[in-house]
Amino acid sequence: MNCVVLIGRLTRDPEVRYLPESQMAVATFTVAIDRVRGAGKEKQTDFPRITVFGKQAENCERYLTKGRLVGVQGRLQTGSYKNKDGATVYTTDVVADRVEFLEWGDKGAAPARDISEPDIPEGFQALEDDDVPF
């Protein structure tokens, strides 16, 4: 089984190119995903590279921009190549089957809002991770 589901923010605008033989669009971008290490420990961030094909790649170019929140469903794919020094470089990418735009807007618009401090509805209170019973 090879299934990956990620939610993160784009670190830069998607780059799109077209395959010469089929003129199919290929978009690549990187997302930042926080990895919480536990109470009192410093969080770490992963930066997986995402590759998208076809119409979805064109939609990513049109609607996604740096900072936008995105959900990605796909699979891991590894590869390798020789760099200009002759050394082998190994790669791991996520090939996306599905990309969900979790914040909408035209490319020139700013992200909708910062979700790090959510709005708390009247009558509710914020909970710390230590207060959750599971």
Side-chain angles (χ1 to χ4, degrees):
M1 185 180 321
N2 184 354
C3 183
V4 175
V5 178
L6 305 169
I7 295 177
R9 293 195 179 274
L10 271 72
T11 60
R12 58 189 160 101
D13 291 352
E15 294 178 12
V16 176
R17 61 183 172 86
Y18 290 86
L19 299 176
E21 61 274 0
S22 65
Q23 292 303 307
M24 178 186 290
V26 180
T28 57
F29 55 90
T30 302
V31 293
I33 302 168
D34 289 335
R35 184 170 13 116
V36 180
R37 305 276 301 169
K41 294 185 180 176
E42 188 175 319
K43 70 179 177 182
Q44 295 180 335
T45 305
D46 295 313
F47 300 96
R49 191 171 89 158
I50 313 297
T51 304
V52 188
F53 294 94
K55 186 70 173 169
Q56 269 197 113
E58 293 172 354
N59 286 335
C60 287
E61 178 184 34
R62 183 173 178 190
Y63 294 108
L64 292 180
T65 187
K66 179 180 177 178
R68 287 275 163 89
L69 189 65
V70 65
V72 175
Q73 180 180 359
R75 61 185 165 82
L76 284 179
Q77 182 172 302
T78 60
S80 65
Y81 65 91
K82 299 272 187 195
N83 67 11
K84 62 183 175 183
D85 299 328
T88 301
V89 177
Y90 296 96
T91 62
T92 301
D93 296 322
V94 175
V95 177
D97 299 321
R98 182 176 175 183
V99 177
E100 291 286 330
F101 306 146
L102 302 178
E103 290 180 336
W104 278 93
D106 289 332
K107 201 165 185 176
R113 66 182 181 95
D114 182 10
I115 64 167
S116 63
E117 294 187 27
D119 295 330
I120 300 171
E122 187 176 325
F124 289 85
Q125 67 182 20
L127 291 177
E128 298 297 322
D129 288 340
D130 296 336
D131 296 332
V132 179
F134 47 87

